[in-house]
Amino acid sequence: MTSYELPAGYTVSTDPARLDRSAVHRWLSEDAYWALGRPREKQDLAIDGSLNFGLYEEGSGAQVGYARVVTDRATFAWLCDVFIAPQARGRGLGTALAAAVRDELAGLGLRRLLLATRDAHEVYAKVGFAPMAEPGKWMVLGEQ
């Protein structure tokens, strides 16, 4: 599996106190196809119930990216709400953030880490994600 380092000048933190919740809500509810219109209250509940990854500029401390993981920290995790601020795109930050999540979770011994994406398969493939070998055995209740 390929390792990806963050570009110089950026850092990742799982400290929920560092999150710019207003920016995360704005990014997701206004610009992310999967979360358009998500109410702030629902976003805050999602943050509070998840393992969160903030991507920050080292100098200013400004948050420029976000990823959220829903997990039991033992057997399963779902990577979701991955977002890079528009002004920070094109620098490999999405791939590096996905790799940071993968690496952070590696020590938990999870059986699987899942995600769903409509248009960023190549970003996640770079850090080891692949299509499901047997998608026919999976089922969903709710939105598809």
Side-chain angles (χ1 to χ4, degrees), residues 10-53:
Y10 294 92
T11 189
V12 171
S13 173
T14 58
D15 180 358
R18 281 191 74 181
L19 293 173
D20 182 341
R21 289 174 177 243
S22 293
V24 170
H25 175 254
R26 185 177 61 256
W27 292 337
L28 296 175
S29 69
E30 295 177 9
D31 198 29
Y33 68 83
W34 65 91
L36 293 175
R38 182 182 290 170
R40 171 68 190 263
E41 298 77 24
K42 185 156 302 261
Q43 183 61 51
D44 284 341
L45 285 170
I47 288 171
D48 292 340
S50 301
L51 174 58
N52 300 277
F53 293 77

Side-chain angles (χ1 to χ4, degrees), residues 81-123:
D81 288 346
V82 179
F83 193 90
I84 302 298
Q87 74 275 12
R89 293 179 185 163
R91 301 176 198 162
L93 294 172
T95 300
L97 180 56
V101 170
R102 176 201 63 199
D103 295 348
E104 179 76 17
L105 296 177
L108 298 179
L110 302 174
R111 183 169 180 190
R112 69 178 47 92
L113 171 57
L114 296 178
L115 66 83
T117 183
R118 181 173 72 188
D119 55 4
H121 295 81
E122 68 284 348
V123 169

